[in-house]
């Protein structure tokens, strides 16, 4: 029995942040019903991130909407709104990620939903909160990364702003909403009260940077200073970075410069110590390491460094990662099957409960696939 078995989530959200929240709730056992508009449904169905298409729909949609049901309802139709109201009455969680004011105009803001279901947990994700000059802006990941200083943390100092290659703000906002919903469901079980949970992508983007922002204020608002070469963290000293070897790349985390000098047989590092010097002169140290490490293979250096318990790693691509025994033992890939029999591979939920993996074999829904089934449940 999964922890959220018996709970129902009514999900109006689309794109990534909201669907990521409901995906995690589904993996934990909740029944997730996607409310989708006629014709197009979740806009993410047509949001192609590559030329790869799965069963006529974008790979992104399949990845984050498995294990859910889809019902097509026109929120602007009076008859369909009555159906939505009846679904809300039976739901434990209602959630969306529309811009502020949209659900109010559509008649399903928290005040209205609470009238229908007083103990409901109502969750929403906005881009920039509900107040201020940015409130009406589109909540898109790259835009949030750009506005919150995050792009000045990645890449070398000469690169200019560099965004992350993942929709990291969407992911953290979705994770934050999921955590809050779970906490409120626990409170409801004890106190029998509902809740209104609001998470903004802006809040989440700043919170991701808690370490660097705290340092910024402590440093008298000094902006991040990325290293010129092999930058992997603007606030960490050498050797922290990724270096080219004779046949690949090597990642070095925190480490003692004198110890590295000895282990790597690199006399050019003799005049460098740990601590403040390793930070202030990190560019010089990293340039020496860059010239030295390229002379031997990755395996050669790993054999020396790992034996001395130095924090280091090979730099794998997905081909090498998925072929590695260290990955295979995780059993992170699962095959799921859609209602029409189409099967595809994707990641599983990363959570284990009582030692058991949370595996689900149910693929993403076709648009409106469960409309008839859900209506029959409601009205017989």
């Amino acid at each position: 029995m999964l922890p959220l078995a018996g709970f129902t989530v009514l999900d109006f959200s689309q794109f990534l942040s909201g669907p990521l929240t409901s995906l995690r709730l589904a993996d934990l056992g909740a029944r997730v019903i996607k409310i989708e508009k006629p014709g197009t449904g979740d806009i993410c169905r047509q949001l192609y991130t590559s030329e790869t298409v799965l069963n006529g729909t974008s790979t992104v949609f399949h990845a984050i909407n498995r294990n859910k049901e889809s019902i097509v309802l026109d929120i602007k139709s009076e008859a369909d709104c009555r159906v939505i109201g009846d679904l809300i009455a039976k739901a434990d969680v209602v959630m969306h990620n529309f811009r502020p004011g949209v659900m109010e105009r559509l008649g399903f803001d928290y005040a209205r939903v609470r009238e229908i279901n007083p103990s409901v947990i109502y969750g929403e994700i906005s881009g920039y909160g509900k107040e201020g000059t940015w409130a009406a802006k589109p909540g898109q990941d790259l835009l949030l990364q750009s506005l919150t200083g995050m792009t000045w943390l990645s890449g070398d100092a000469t690169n200019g702003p560099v965004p992350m290659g993942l929709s990291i703000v969407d992911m953290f906002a979705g994770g934050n909403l999921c955590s809050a919903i779970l906490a409120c469901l626990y409170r409801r079980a004890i106190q029998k009260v509902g809740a209104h949970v609001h998470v903004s992508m802006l809040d989440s983007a700043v919170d991701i940077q808690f370490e660097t922002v705290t340092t910024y204020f402590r440093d008298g608002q000094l902006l991040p200073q990325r290293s010129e070469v092999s930058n992997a963290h603007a606030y960490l000293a050498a050797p922290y970075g990724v270096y080219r070897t004779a046949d690949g790349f090597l990642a070095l985390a925190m480490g003692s410069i004198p110890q590295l000098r000895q282990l790597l047989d690199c006399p050019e590092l003799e005049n460098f110590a740990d601590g403040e010097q390793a930070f202030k002169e990190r560019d010089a140290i990293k340039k020496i390491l860059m010239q030295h490490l390229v002379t031997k293979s990755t395996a050669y250096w790993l054999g020396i460094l790992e034996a001395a318990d130095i924090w280091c790693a090979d730099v794998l691509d997905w081909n090498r990662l998925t072929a590695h025994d260290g990955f295979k033992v995780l059993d992170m890939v699962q095959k799921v099957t859609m209602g029409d029999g189409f099967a595809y591979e994707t990641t599983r939920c990363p959570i284990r409960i009582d030692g058991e993996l949370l595996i689900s074999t149910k693929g993403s829904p076709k648009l409106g696939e469960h409309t008839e089934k859900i209506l029959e449940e409601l009205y017989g």
Side-chain angles (χ1 to χ4, degrees):
M1 180 72 73
L2 292 170
L4 295 184
F7 287 86
T8 299
V9 177
L10 206 58
D11 185 10
F12 291 88
S13 68
Q14 49 189 349
F15 290 117
L16 184 59
S17 60
L20 184 63
T21 300
S22 59
L23 172 63
R24 191 60 68 236
L25 297 174
D27 283 338
L28 289 168
R31 180 187 187 185
V32 174
I33 300 174
K34 285 181 67 70
I35 305 279
E36 300 193 72
K37 61 182 178 181
T40 58
D42 184 340
I43 298 173
C44 197
R45 288 181 179 273
Q46 285 77 45
L47 185 67
Y48 297 105
T49 55
S50 71
E51 296 179 355
T52 304
V53 178
L54 289 179
N55 207 15
T57 307
S58 79
T59 55
V60 179
F61 180 85
H62 288 293
I64 58 175
N65 286 289
R66 59 175 177 77
N67 211 12
K68 302 177 186 178
E69 300 174 33
S70 169
I71 182 171
V72 168
L73 293 168
D74 186 352
I75 202 168
K76 296 178 181 179
S77 159
E78 186 175 335
D80 283 1
C81 280
R82 285 196 292 271
V83 176
I84 292 172
D86 292 337
L87 286 170
I88 288 172
K90 295 177 176 295
D92 300 284
V93 177
V94 174
M95 53 175 289
H96 73 85
N97 61 350
F98 295 126
R99 293 191 199 188
V102 171
M103 285 300 261
E104 283 80 0
R105 291 196 300 273
L106 295 173
F108 291 106
D109 57 304
Y110 176 60
R112 171 63 182 136
V113 168
R114 188 182 180 187
E115 289 177 1
I116 300 170
N117 185 344
S119 65
V120 74
I121 309 300
Y122 188 93
E124 57 182 314
I125 298 177
S126 67
Y128 305 85
K130 298 186 177 184
E131 300 175 347
T133 56
W134 289 351
K137 283 181 173 290
Q140 196 279 330
D141 196 276
L142 176 61
L143 310 186
L144 266 299
Q145 287 193 42
S146 300
L147 282 171
T148 57
M150 197 180 299
T151 55
W152 294 104
L153 297 173
S154 299
D156 295 339
T158 56
N159 291 151
V162 177
M164 292 192 67
L166 293 170
S167 299
I168 194 72
V169 182
D170 276 311
M171 295 174 186
F172 270 82
N176 288 337
L177 181 61
C178 182
S179 297
I181 287 172
L182 292 173
C184 290
L185 285 172
Y186 175 76
R187 186 182 70 171
R188 191 185 73 168
I190 297 172
Q191 301 180 11
K192 312 301 181 186
V193 295
H196 180 195
V197 178
H198 174 225
V199 171
S200 84
M201 294 175 68
L202 180 61
D203 289 330
S204 299
V206 175
D207 180 63
I208 294 170
Q209 303 174 81
F210 62 91
E211 177 187 9
T212 53
V213 169
T214 302
T215 305
Y216 163 76
F217 285 116
R218 182 63 180 172
D219 278 349
Q221 299 184 356
L222 178 68
L223 292 174
Q225 304 296 309
R226 296 174 292 176
S227 56
E228 293 179 4
V229 293
S230 298
N231 175 68
H233 196 298
Y235 290 93
L236 290 179
Y240 203 90
V242 174
Y243 301 87
R244 185 179 290 277
T245 65
D247 63 350
F249 294 88
L250 175 72
L252 287 174
M254 290 78 75
S256 164
I257 303 303
Q259 187 181 15
L260 284 176
R261 177 186 62 78
Q262 182 179 9
L263 290 169
L264 301 175
D265 190 20
C266 183
E268 292 84 358
L269 292 175
E270 187 171 0
N271 296 324
F272 297 98
D274 296 332
E276 189 173 332
Q277 188 182 17
F279 186 83
K280 288 188 174 181
E281 300 185 55
R282 61 183 174 174
D283 285 334
I285 294 170
K286 288 183 174 186
K287 286 176 183 177
I288 291 171
L289 285 170
M290 190 168 60
Q291 295 166 359
H292 188 76
L293 292 170
V294 78
T295 62
K296 302 286 186 182
S297 69
T298 302
Y300 176 84
W301 297 124
L302 287 173
I304 294 171
L305 297 173
E306 289 182 336
D309 200 25
I310 300 297
W311 291 358
C312 60
D314 197 351
V315 180
L316 306 180
D317 58 23
W318 289 336
N319 288 336
R320 294 176 64 203
L321 169 67
T322 53
H324 200 286
D325 289 341
F327 175 81
K328 290 177 180 177
V329 74
L330 296 177
D331 201 14
M332 267 300 299
V333 178
Q334 63 179 359
K335 180 173 282 188
V336 296
T337 305
M338 298 176 64
D340 62 0
F342 182 86
Y344 61 95
E345 289 182 312
T346 187
T347 55
R348 64 163 174 81
C349 178
I351 299 169
R352 287 176 168 84
I353 296 180
D354 296 330
E356 297 294 324
L357 302 180
L358 301 190
I359 300 292
S360 60
T361 59
K362 183 178 175 182
S364 55
K366 287 281 193 178
L367 179 61
E369 180 180 339
H370 304 93
T371 300
E372 188 174 331
K373 169 192 169 188
I374 294 168
L375 292 177
E376 186 174 344
E377 289 177 6
L378 275 177
Y379 305 116

